[in-house]
Amino acid sequence: QVQLVESGGGLVQAGGSLRLSCAASTSFFRLLNMGWYRQAPGEQRDLVAMVTSGDRTKYAESVKGRFTISRDNAKNMVFLQMNSLKPEDTAVYYCAGGFSETRSNYWGQGTQVTVSS
């Protein structure tokens, strides 16, 4: 069983920054494609950013140039650096991992990010 534990969420003013972290309890972390998703109230859960097992990255158009995803395979961790935050970035952010780039097998419990205007 793979456990993913997110941290780093909180309340920040518009224009501010937050760094989310996700710790994975698995020996095959380096084989997983890791992503950050978010879900706002009443909305569907959407992909924000992904870093593949081969270190390729992709981002939602709405966060390009503001968010950066990275991974540390030695520590079994993935990060999401969020800069220039906007109120519309407010959501629960989930860490996820999977062997496919289109389907995640493992999910964290989520961390709340709230951006005030």
Side-chain angles (χ1 to χ4, degrees):
Q1 183 75 8
V2 176
Q3 286 191 317
L4 301 176
V5 180
E6 303 99 334
S7 60
L11 173 64
V12 65
Q13 287 189 328
S17 298
L18 281 174
R19 188 190 194 213
L20 304 183
S21 300
C22 173
S25 64
T26 173
S27 59
F28 51 84
F29 176 79
R30 63 181 177 83
L31 301 180
L32 296 175
N33 302 301
M34 298 299 299
W36 287 96
Y37 293 75
R38 67 186 180 188
Q39 186 170 23
E43 303 288 335
Q44 66 180 18
R45 188 176 300 186
D46 291 323
L47 176 68
V48 175
M50 175 171 286
V51 56
T52 70
S53 58
D55 237 8
R56 285 183 294 109
T57 57
K58 60 181 178 181
Y59 297 91
E61 284 296 325
S62 59
V63 306
K64 280 184 179 178
R66 300 189 297 123
F67 291 11
T68 302
I69 190 170
S70 61
R71 65 190 297 161
D72 184 337
N73 288 340
K75 296 182 179 179
N76 284 8
M77 295 192 73
V78 62
F79 307 97
L80 186 67
Q81 178 66 44
M82 304 186 294
N83 298 329
S84 302
L85 282 161
K86 305 175 181 180
E88 51 263 44
D89 295 318
T90 295
V92 178
Y93 283 70
Y94 297 90
C95 174
F99 297 101
S100 164
E101 292 184 29
T102 55
R103 180 177 177 272
S104 292
N105 304 89
Y106 313 108
W107 292 85
Q109 81 287 351
T111 185
Q112 177 70 47
V113 171
T114 302
V115 185
S116 63
S117 56

